[in-house]
Amino acid sequence: MKIWQKNIASTAEVDRFTVGADRELDLQLAKADVLGSLAHTRMLQTISLLTGEELEVVQRELKAIYREIEAGDFRIDDGAEDVHSQVEALLCERIGDTGKKIHSGRSRNDQVLVDLRIFLRREIYEIVGLTEQLFSSLSSLAEQYKNVLMPGYTHLQIAMPSSFGLWFSAYSESLADDLQMMLAAYRITNRNPLGSAAGYGSSFPLNRSLTTELLGFDSLCYSSVYAQMGRGKTERVLSQAISSIAATLGKFALDNCLYLSQNFSFISYPPELTTGSSIMPHKKNPDVWEIMRGKCNLLQALPNQITMLTTNLPSGYHRDLQLLKEVLFPAIQSLKGCLEMADYMLAHIRVREGILADKMYDYIFSVEVVNDLVLSGVPFREAYRKIGLDIENGNYNPSRAVHHTHEGSIGNLCISSINEQMQSVKTEFNFEKFLTAERELIC
Ligand code: ARG
């Protein structure tokens, strides 16, 4: 029997269609659901909707359910519509009538909202951790290979000397910027929608500041209508941050595929990190980076999926919103997998030294040669023309001297400044606040 069922039950066809994959996805919200109820019931007691004894029983049982979830002993029964119904049903089964009181002043609409925000902020915490890990690997590689030159390209044509240090640090800096997007997503996510009920509040004197504090949110979503509109918005902003990291990773994956090609051969990985061909015995393919590129391309479609799903929905709750979980949850797992795998691969990357010694790169230092003339007093345009004609006429004397020393160049990668940038965005997250609040709620 559903929590909203009075006399007539919906048909099995309707149940199957409206629940779909949702029960499975809801399992991921189980801990968050219990945390939300732990805070909500403590608040209910302060406004006399639960007695002290009732609260004690409810809290004890909710904590027991939390431990069952952690132990993997929690499931959502076929008869229960969602995680919210399942937790309430378990409570009623175990503590009787007191369990029936916990939903006062609450709707599944704000319940799912608070669950999602509790769940998503932890996912952000994990994504940030994995991004930092990858960042620091890239940063150390940049330091390690700062003096190893490689070609830089424009139009995929050989352009100017670059270095592995520049290449690695470009991606570490990109990740630091991606975390700025994630920080914005975190700030929007870490606000409390609980108490907005079905979207229009409640006639009970709910203490929304109290649940905000108990759950370790930074503030609350003040307008109850906006709290409901946050469903879709939170996901959209987060998906844009996810997409931003995916764009960085996807480009890095593509560079890896290109540089691994024998026609480039700038980098290599041990054979056990490559894959083979069923017909060509010599092949060592970069499937990891190709799958990563594909996954990251799909992740960049996520904001669009979310926009398509939510566009033209008026304010207020709509069941369509349930489907947000179907696109967002697997995307989060996919991103985490990519971040982990990129880091795993980088632990084994080998870079080739001496690439630029090849004749193919004779002209890659042409701008240096022009600049040398400029330093000796020749105006740039004249120097450019002279060296250009020397090249055309076969009078060019290939130089291999590179002396870029300005900030962000081969000779001055600014790795420590990039590290500081990462450090400063990292401290802004202040995850400790919610981690502590959650620990206190369940202890
Ligand atoms: N599974 C639902 C969702 O994700 C839970 C909220 C249901 N609310 C409702 N009014 N039917 O949106």
Side-chain angles (χ1 to χ4, degrees):
M1 180 137 159
K2 295 191 191 63
I3 51 179
W4 46 267
Q5 195 173 319
K6 277 74 66 179
N7 42 17
I8 301 163
S10 44
T11 64
E13 286 78 1
V14 168
D15 288 351
R16 255 201 310 279
F17 190 74
T18 53
V19 172
D22 197 55
R23 222 182 258 128
E24 217 31 53
L25 293 164
D26 258 14
L27 274 180
Q28 298 186 51
L29 294 181
K31 281 206 234 171
D33 197 74
V34 173
L35 287 166
S37 292
L38 282 166
H40 179 68
T41 50
R42 275 175 67 174
M43 187 277 293
L44 286 182
Q45 189 262 326
T46 66
I47 58 169
S48 307
L49 286 172
L50 283 180
T51 65
E53 295 87 80
E54 285 170 334
L55 179 67
E56 214 171 288
V57 178
V58 169
Q59 293 275 318
R60 197 195 54 225
E61 214 43 58
L62 281 171
K63 289 175 193 175
I65 296 173
Y66 191 92
R67 284 191 294 275
E68 286 159 31
I69 300 167
E70 278 190 315
D73 294 336
F74 177 86
R75 56 185 300 273
I76 301 176
D77 299 328
D78 291 346
E81 198 177 342
D82 47 35
V83 68
H84 327 293
S85 313
Q86 178 70 26
V87 172
E88 190 175 318
L90 278 180
L91 273 182
C92 294
E93 194 183 296
R94 296 176 186 181
I95 61 174
D97 280 356
T98 309
K100 296 182 189 162
K101 293 189 170 183
I102 70 158
H103 209 56
S104 308
R106 187 173 73 171
S107 153
R108 274 183 305 164
N109 295 356
D110 65 335
Q111 196 177 354
V112 68
L113 287 175
V114 79
D115 289 9
L116 282 165
R117 285 174 186 252
I118 293 170
F119 170 74
L120 292 176
R121 68 186 180 183
R122 187 168 284 269
E123 291 297 322
I124 293 175
Y125 166 68
E126 285 179 15
I127 291 171
V128 170
L130 293 171
T131 307
E132 265 177 67
Q133 172 56 46
L134 179 58
F135 172 94
S136 71
S137 299
L138 285 163
S139 202
S140 330
L141 284 165
E143 182 64 46
Q144 189 177 349
Y145 297 115
K146 64 182 172 197
N147 296 319
V148 181
L149 296 186
M150 70 187 292
Y153 297 86
T154 67
H155 311 265
L156 259 190
Q157 301 287 309
I158 294 168
M160 287 179 70
S162 179
S163 68
F164 281 100
L166 269 178
W167 183 55
F168 287 121
S169 63
Y171 284 99
S172 66
E173 189 172 353
S174 183
L175 288 177
D177 265 356
D178 294 333
L179 285 195
Q180 298 283 355
M181 302 268 294
M182 196 51 89
L183 177 61
Y186 181 69
R187 286 182 167 151
I188 290 170
T189 302
N190 199 27
R191 296 180 61 197
N192 183 18
L194 192 61
S196 61
Y200 309 94
S202 160
S203 56
F204 297 126
L206 304 177
N207 185 346
R208 299 192 61 205
S209 300
L210 177 61
T211 54
T212 300
E213 194 193 306
L214 289 173
L215 288 164
F217 284 112
D218 292 330
S219 63
L220 52 102
C221 304
Y222 297 99
S223 159
S224 56
V225 173
Y226 177 63
Q228 289 296 325
M229 274 160 50
R231 186 114 188 244
K233 177 156 182 154
T234 318
E235 286 86 345
R236 191 171 326 115
V237 179
L238 176 56
S239 74
Q240 280 155 355
I242 288 175
S243 167
S244 189
I245 297 176
T248 300
L249 269 184
K251 199 185 271 292
F252 187 58
L254 196 150
D255 276 1
N256 268 274
C257 292
L258 194 66
Y259 296 167
L260 275 164
S261 158
Q262 289 82 354
N263 296 93
F264 288 79
S265 289
F266 297 163
I267 56 172
S268 60
Y269 289 94
E272 61 273 22
L273 299 188
T274 63
T275 53
S277 153
S278 64
I279 177 172
M280 298 165 282
H282 64 283
K283 288 304 279 300
K284 296 206 176 359
N285 294 325
D287 289 24
V288 169
W289 294 112
E290 291 173 317
I291 292 289
M292 178 126 23
R293 181 173 56 193
K295 281 179 181 251
C296 288
N297 285 344
L298 289 175
L299 285 171
Q300 288 172 82
L302 183 65
N304 208 27
Q305 283 182 293
I306 290 174
T307 299
M308 292 308 288
L309 180 58
T310 54
T311 199
N312 298 341
L313 285 185
S315 57
Y317 177 84
H318 311 278
R319 192 72 183 268
D320 317 40
L321 297 169
Q322 173 175 296
L323 301 178
L324 284 165
K325 288 180 255 180
E326 254 174 66
V327 286
L328 184 62
F329 288 13
I332 290 173
Q333 299 317 318
S334 171
L335 179 72
K336 292 201 294 193
C338 288
L339 285 165
E340 272 170 339
M341 200 58 194
D343 194 53
Y344 173 81
M345 293 297 282
L346 283 184
H348 306 276
I349 193 170
R350 293 192 286 239
V351 314
R352 181 152 69 92
E353 311 224 356
I355 299 173
L356 299 190
D358 194 288
K359 261 201 89 45
M360 186 197 300
Y361 301 110
D362 274 358
Y363 300 115
I364 201 169
F365 295 86
S366 67
V367 181
E368 310 291 298
V369 179
V370 171
N371 288 355
D372 282 345
L373 278 184
V374 169
L375 288 177
S376 70
V378 184
F380 175 79
R381 191 49 61 209
E382 261 174 49
Y384 168 91
R385 199 176 145 71
K386 180 187 177 313
I387 300 303
L389 287 171
D390 284 355
I391 291 172
E392 296 293 315
N393 302 330
N395 295 330
Y396 177 78
N397 181 21
S399 145
R400 289 283 193 278
V402 56
H403 27 244
H404 301 169
T405 55
H406 62 82
E407 287 167 313
S409 67
I410 295 179
N412 182 6
L413 292 178
C414 298
I415 296 172
S416 60
S417 304
I418 298 173
N419 289 346
E420 274 165 33
Q421 232 188 323
M422 179 55 139
Q423 202 52 38
S424 89
V425 59
K426 197 181 118 182
T427 51
E428 295 231 26
F429 279 93
N430 187 18
F431 291 122
E432 212 36 59
K433 181 171 177 174
F434 90 74
L435 292 169
T436 312
E438 290 187 7
R439 266 195 303 272
E440 279 170 10
L441 271 175
I442 51 166
C443 78

